[in-house]
Amino acid sequence: MDNQTLLKTVVKACDDKRAEDIVVLDMRGISLIADYFLICNGNSDKQIQAIAREVKEKSEEAGTAVRRMEGFEEGKWVLIDLGDIVAHIFNRDERNYYNLERLWGDAPTVSAESVLQ
């Protein structure tokens, strides 16, 4: 599966579980870690876990294995490594504290709406 199709799958999975403030950072040429970071937040640990489960299930259905998932049990910051795409699913306080958007401020932002089209 190509990165654009996988990115669309991941964004849609987050959107389907009502993730808030979905941001996609284009990390190509900036980081060797991944081509894209997806950042979003949920309102509770249960919602964050539901979003993470949906991302995992939809990615696997599309043929992409989850390489690693961290933080699921705590439900404060779940990191899902899909290879070229890394999803960060936060609770609001953790997201504000770590502020990955500022940390990776030189990365262009891709609108979630444009990914879904």
Side-chain angles (χ1 to χ4, degrees), residues 88-103:
H88 301 269
I89 307 163
F90 287 99
N91 75 16
R92 187 173 288 118
D93 291 338
E94 296 288 315
R95 183 175 184 174
N96 289 335
Y97 180 79
Y98 288 101
N99 200 356
L100 294 184
E101 293 97 319
R102 185 181 53 106
L103 179 66

Side-chain angles (χ1 to χ4, degrees), residues 13-72:
C14 292
D15 189 55
D16 286 351
K17 291 299 179 182
R18 303 191 193 294
E20 295 182 347
D21 196 17
I22 301 169
V23 173
V24 177
L25 300 178
D26 185 344
M27 304 300 290
R28 294 175 294 177
I30 295 172
S31 172
L32 298 175
I33 297 169
D35 287 348
Y36 295 98
F37 279 179
L38 177 135
I39 305 166
C40 66
N41 61 273
N43 290 311
S44 69
D45 57 342
K46 298 293 184 208
Q47 184 187 19
I48 292 163
Q49 290 168 337
I51 295 165
R53 253 191 310 280
E54 187 78 357
V55 167
K56 180 180 186 299
E57 288 172 12
K58 295 302 181 186
S59 298
E60 288 174 347
E61 285 174 13
T64 299
V66 171
R67 292 182 178 186
R68 192 169 186 91
M69 184 172 354
E70 298 287 336
F72 182 83

